[in-house]
Amino acid sequence: DVKVTQSSRYLVKRTGEKVFLECVQDMDHENMFWYRQDPGLGLRLIYFSYDVKMKEKGDIPEGYSVSREKKERFSLILESASTNQTSMYLCASSLISASPQETQYFGPGTRLLVL
Amino acid sequence: DAKTTQPPSMDCAEGRAANLPCNHSTISGNEYVYWYRQIHSQGPQYIIHGLKNNETNEMASLIITEDRKSSTLILPHATLRDTAVYYCIVRQHPNTGNQFYFGTGTSLTVIP
């Protein structure tokens, strides 16, 4: 079974803090993704990566950056947390790229509260 | 983008089959239909996907109409643990990005 783990289930930070969210997958997947999920808005893609040190912006990259130094690990960074970044953050990974049969596997999510 | 339309909520009696409909009338020929579900406060879980033939796995069956404009996810014997939000997603052509567009889904409640 694919396993995607996220470093924290719940996180509370203060406005202006730098926040790191870590995601690790154990299935040697090339692709990794960061989404945020907000009520009424569904899942929105922040960034994704298709290889080590590669990254692509999703729909809402502003205020975020990412790092992929190793294939199994994809980090989401909030450079200066703001209250509008309070959300559920979901990491996902997938094996096949550029194929309509790609299946993404999700981690359990990190619920971030910025005060 | 091919969009999907799902009812916002459904109930199903425990032990009965749950049939969750999805309309995707603008689907194109190379787009797959995916189903995920999300149990409260957890990450989405992959269920099944298909192109035009009916598919079955250990979790569910997927029935896609011949014109591919709609599909139905069937949970053959719903249990209380199947209470979740179910998302029907049409997979975008990969050239436009590798993301899945999750809508608001169907909130399924399995009733004892």
Side-chain angles (χ1 to χ4, degrees):
Chain A
D1 276 355
V2 176
K3 191 162 186 184
V4 179
T5 57
Q6 295 181 227
S7 50
S8 305
R9 290 302 307 274
Y10 301 95
L11 211 51
V12 180
K13 296 292 181 180
R14 295 205 175 273
T15 301
E17 278 192 79
K18 191 168 186 176
V19 182
F20 293 87
L21 303 182
E22 302 282 336
C23 175
V24 177
Q25 49 93 6
D26 66 356
M27 286 302 291
D28 205 34
H29 285 176
E30 291 87 2
N31 300 326
M32 295 188 75
F33 307 82
W34 275 107
Y35 293 86
R36 63 177 282 177
Q37 184 175 27
D38 301 287
L41 297 177
L43 273 72
R44 293 179 291 168
L45 183 68
I46 305 171
Y47 268 99
F48 66 97
S49 167
Y50 52 86
D51 202 352
V52 175
K53 297 193 185 294
M54 306 302 289
K55 61 184 179 183
E56 294 286 342
K57 293 180 180 179
D59 292 330
I60 51 165
E62 297 78 20
Y64 302 94
S65 61
V66 290
S67 172
R68 186 130 181 241
E69 296 296 319
K70 293 185 178 181
K71 191 175 186 180
E72 68 272 16
R73 189 178 298 269
F74 192 35
S75 302
L76 179 70
I77 303 151
L78 286 65
E79 297 290 342
S80 177
S82 64
T83 55
N84 63 12
Q85 292 179 309
T86 290
S87 186
M88 169 77 122
Y89 289 88
L90 291 158
C91 175
S93 73
S94 69
L95 179 61
I96 302 172
S97 180
S99 164
Q101 292 201 60
E102 174 190 334
T103 299
Q104 293 189 9
Y105 297 90
F106 286 81
T110 295
R111 194 168 292 279
L112 173 67
L113 172 62
V114 182
L115 300 173
Chain B
D1 302 349
K3 295 183 186 242
T4 63
T5 305
Q6 299 177 253
S9 63
M10 291 180 66
D11 293 338
C12 177
E14 188 178 17
R16 299 280 188 157
N19 297 283
L20 292 93
C22 180
N23 287 322
H24 30 79
S25 58
T26 60
I27 193 170
S28 63
N30 65 346
E31 289 181 317
Y32 283 70
V33 179
Y34 280 77
W35 284 84
Y36 280 74
R37 73 180 182 183
Q38 188 172 23
I39 295 168
H40 183 62
S41 294
Q42 297 182 23
Q45 176 190 23
Y46 166 77
I47 301 173
I48 199 167
H49 74 279
L51 181 63
K52 53 185 175 181
N53 297 321
N54 297 339
E55 302 287 344
T56 296
N57 63 19
E58 64 278 3
M59 289 181 70
S61 294
L62 174 60
I63 308 299
I64 302 174
T65 58
E66 194 169 340
D67 63 8
R68 302 210 325 123
K69 293 185 177 182
S70 65
S71 61
T72 301
L73 179 76
I74 300 172
L75 308 178
H77 305 287
T79 70
L80 298 179
R81 286 177 292 183
D82 292 322
T83 293
V85 178
Y86 288 78
Y87 297 97
C88 169
I89 302 156
V90 171
R91 176 69 168 87
Q92 261 195 313
H93 191 287
N95 285 342
T96 60
N98 288 322
Q99 55 188 299
F100 282 72
Y101 282 101
F102 286 74
T104 52
T106 296
S107 178
L108 174 70
T109 301
V110 179
I111 302 167

